[in-house]
């Protein structure tokens, strides 16, 4: 569904060393979804993650970029933007629909670190 996000279970847990990777849709069948505005984040913006135990973790955005789908290095998304701090990396689809599919040709990547 377009309103849920997914945590990649081979990535770090919230607040652990490395980077937690979360993905979500930007749109579903032409309607805005959970990460529709992801590309509007800017360096310095704050993201909050609330764990199941109620602990709130505050991350600061370090980079936002939109790149071609075939240029995404998924293994790099398992590494924090600052290896001395736990990271939070977000990914969603962007760009134009690839003809003959429901897929978009770009990805927006946001990298943030725990403060």
């Amino acid at each position: 569904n377009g309103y849920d996000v997914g945590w990649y279970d081979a990535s770090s847990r919230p607040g652990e060393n490395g980077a937690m990777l979360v993905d979500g849709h930007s749109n579903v069948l032409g309607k805005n979804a959970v990460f529709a505005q992801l590309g509007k984040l800017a360096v310095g913006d704050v993201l909050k993650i609330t764990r199941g135990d109620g602990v709130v973790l505050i991350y600061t955005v370090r980079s936002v970029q939109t790149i071609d789908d075939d240029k995404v290095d998924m293994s790099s998304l398992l590494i924090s933007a600052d290896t001395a701090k736990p990271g939070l990396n977000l990914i969603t689809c962007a760009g134009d629909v690839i003809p003959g599919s429901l897929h978009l040709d770009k990805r927006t990547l946001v990298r943030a670190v725990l403060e």
Side-chain angles (χ1 to χ4, degrees), residues 19-36:
M20 177 174 62
L21 176 58
V22 176
D23 69 341
H25 290 293
S26 60
N27 73 70
V28 175
L29 301 174
K31 295 185 181 184
N32 283 347
V34 66
F35 280 169

Side-chain angles (χ1 to χ4, degrees), residues 3-15 18-26 34-35 38 41 47-50 57 59 72 74 76-79 87-93 107-112:
Y3 302 104
D4 290 334
V5 297
W7 162 66
Y8 178 53
D9 63 2
S11 69
S12 299
R13 293 179 183 268
M20 177 174 62
L21 176 58
V22 176
D23 69 341
H25 290 293
S26 60
V34 66
F35 280 169
L38 194 67
L41 287 173
L47 304 171
K48 295 180 183 180
I49 299 288
T50 303
L57 301 168
Y59 295 83
V72 176
M74 292 302 291
S76 74
L77 295 174
L78 301 178
I79 301 168
L88 169 63
N89 295 332
L90 309 174
I91 185 171
T92 194
C93 297
R107 298 293 179 267
T108 297
L109 310 172
V110 174
R111 296 172 190 271

Side-chain angles (χ1 to χ4, degrees), residues 26 35-41 63-72 90-96 104-111:
S26 60
F35 280 169
Q37 304 299 315
L38 194 67
K40 292 185 177 182
L41 287 173
S63 70
V64 180
Q65 65 182 140
T66 299
I67 61 174
D68 291 337
D69 177 40
D70 61 355
K71 302 288 190 245
V72 176
L90 309 174
I91 185 171
T92 194
C93 297
D96 299 314
L104 300 178
D105 64 351
K106 298 195 182 296
R107 298 293 179 267
T108 297
L109 310 172
V110 174
R111 296 172 190 271

